[in-house]
C-alpha cells in the first residue's frame, strides 16, 4: 500500500501542507479520506473519526455483502523522522487492539476485518497490518 501512497504524496502533497498548527495527523487524514471517496460503491459505511469500542478510530468502512462482508479500520500516525515510521505503525496497530475498534464491525455484522496502521512523515509513509481477523 505504501508503494501506492508514496507517489501520490510526492505528486499532491507539499511538505508545507502538513506543517500547520493543526493536530499533526489532520492533513493526512483528509488526504486519505479523499482517496477513499474515489472508491465509489466499492465501500460502504465509511466513517471518519468515529466512535469505536473505547475510542475514536481514524477511518472505518465495510465492503461486500452477506457472509462476505468485511470491515476495515485504519489508524494513522505522523512522525517527525522517517526512522520512526515503523514504530508509529506498531503504535497504531496496538491502539486498534487496545481500544477495541473491531467492536464496530460486530454491530455492522461483519464476520471479519482488516486493521491497518499507516504512519506518515512528510512525503513518506509506512503501512502495516492487513491481516484478516475475526470480529466475532
Amino acid at each position: 500500500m505504501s508503494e501506492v501512497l508514496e507517489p501520490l504524496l510526492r505528486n499532491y502533497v507539499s511538505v508545507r501542507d502538513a506543517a500547520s498548527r493543526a493536530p499533526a495527523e489532520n492533513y493526512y487524514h483528509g488526504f486519505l479520506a479523499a482517496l477513499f471517496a474515489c472508491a465509489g460503491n466499492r465501500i460502504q459505511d465509511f466513517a471518519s473519526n468515529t466512535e469505536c469500542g473505547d475510542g475514536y478510530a481514524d477511518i472505518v468502512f465495510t465492503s461486500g455483502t452477506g457472509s462476505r462482508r468485511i470491515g476495515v479500520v485504519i489508524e494513522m500516525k505522523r512522525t517527525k523522522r522517517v526512522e520512526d515510521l515503523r514504530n508509529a505503525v506498531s503504535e497504531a496497530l496496538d491502539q486498534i487492539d487496545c481500544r477495541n475498534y473491531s467492536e464496530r464491525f460486530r454491530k455492522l455484522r461483519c464476520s471479519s476485518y482488516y486493521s491497518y496502521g499507516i504512519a506518515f512523515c512528510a512525503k513518506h509513509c509506512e503501512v502495516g497490518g492487513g491481516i484478516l481477523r475475526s470480529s466475532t
Side-chain angles (χ1 to χ4, degrees), residues 12-67:
Y12 298 107
V13 175
S14 165
V15 291
R16 297 186 79 189
D17 289 334
S20 74
R21 292 183 182 179
E25 298 158 12
N26 280 5
Y27 184 81
Y28 297 108
H29 191 114
F31 177 76
L32 279 185
L35 288 176
F36 285 116
C38 297
N41 63 359
R42 291 184 187 99
I43 64 173
Q44 299 91 37
D45 306 306
F46 180 89
S48 174
N49 288 316
T50 191
E51 188 172 340
C52 290
D54 300 319
Y56 293 86
D58 286 332
I59 293 177
V60 295
F61 60 88
T62 64
S63 184
T65 58
S67 64

Side-chain angles (χ1 to χ4, degrees), residues 92-110:
L93 292 169
D94 288 345
Q95 181 175 330
I96 291 168
D97 290 337
C98 291
R99 295 191 182 164
N100 196 26
Y101 292 164
S102 65
E103 180 182 317
R104 179 178 183 88
F105 301 124
R106 286 188 290 278
K107 291 178 182 177
L108 292 171
R109 298 182 188 254
C110 296

Side-chain angles (χ1 to χ4, degrees), residues 73-92:
V73 59
I74 298 171
E75 187 61 34
M76 291 174 275
K77 300 291 180 190
R78 178 178 166 221
T79 67
K80 293 184 179 186
R81 300 175 336 145
V82 173
E83 305 79 53
D84 297 332
L85 287 171
R86 286 184 186 239
N87 286 338
V89 167
S90 293
E91 287 175 26

